[in-house]
Amino acid sequence: MTTVLITGIEPFDGETLNPSWEAARRLDGAQVAGATLVARQLPCVIGKVVGVLRQAIEDTQPDLVICLGQAGGRGDVSIERVAINVVDARIPDNEGRQPIDEPVVAGGPAAYFSTLPIKAIVRDLRRAGVPASVSSTAGTYNCNTIFYGLSHYIATERPALRGGFVHVPYLPEMAAHHPGQPSLALETLIEGVKVMVATSLAVTADVKEGGGALH
């Protein structure tokens, strides 16, 4: 049986919800494209989150990992292209620490590209009516730390494993406290994750379609 690990992150920065975890936890145990989805929550603690992710992978032995994270202010589901080896925290994490200009992995490569079929995922999400785009910056906070930590683990210890990171907008009830900010309904996000899983399992060589940005 194929297993897909879906991770979300605990609430942070004064929020009581995190859309990434709300979607992930509702998919725990779901069957998608012949695979069983397993959900795990990751902390918003930069110094610990990679270790928690690695343990989740060891515990579940997945064939595919899709990590979700909140990106308040973004208007669509953002499939991240690249993780960079730097932490430059704009705000403290949930343990009050705020690393600045530190590596995620000392001595690690400057960056890693996602091993998910990012262009195919965007294509299929749009076809399913879910707003989506390729993003070339996962930030320099906890989400990028997760993405880089996952990518480094795959590159150095689990080369057969595929995985990547996806940023998602606020939920509507969160955007109500951030006037003017976009949001995405939880039901739409959940369906979007199912599409990501199905496409990632079906597509091993990504499609070549335009998805870049001018800035």
Side-chain angles (χ1 to χ4, degrees), residues 3-149:
T3 300
V4 178
L5 174 62
I6 307 292
T7 69
I9 306 171
E10 67 184 354
F12 67 98
D13 197 24
E15 302 286 354
T16 59
L17 296 172
N18 189 314
S20 66
W21 176 238
E22 294 306 308
R25 72 185 183 90
R26 285 168 172 80
L27 287 166
D28 188 40
Q31 301 289 313
V32 176
T36 300
L37 275 53
V38 179
R40 293 290 185 273
Q41 187 183 69
L42 302 180
C44 186
V45 180
I46 293 168
K48 296 179 179 178
V49 69
V50 174
V52 175
L53 174 58
R54 288 171 62 102
Q55 188 61 57
I57 294 171
E58 295 293 338
D59 291 345
T60 61
Q61 295 294 309
D63 302 277
L64 177 74
V65 181
I66 298 178
C67 297
L68 308 175
Q70 171 187 309
R74 294 199 190 184
D76 62 10
V77 174
S78 301
I79 315 304
E80 297 296 346
R81 187 196 302 262
V82 60
I84 60 175
N85 193 17
V86 67
V87 181
D88 190 4
R90 182 180 60 82
I91 58 174
D93 65 17
N94 281 357
E95 288 192 352
R97 296 180 176 85
Q98 190 173 1
I100 294 176
D101 296 340
E102 296 182 7
V104 179
V105 177
Y112 287 106
F113 287 113
S114 176
T115 54
L116 298 179
I118 61 173
K119 299 285 186 71
I121 290 172
V122 169
R123 177 199 64 191
D124 291 350
L125 285 171
R126 289 174 176 173
R127 288 176 177 174
V130 181
S133 64
V134 172
S135 168
S136 292
T137 175
T140 56
Y141 190 55
N142 194 61
C143 291
N144 178 72
T145 299
I146 293 168
F147 187 13
Y148 188 92

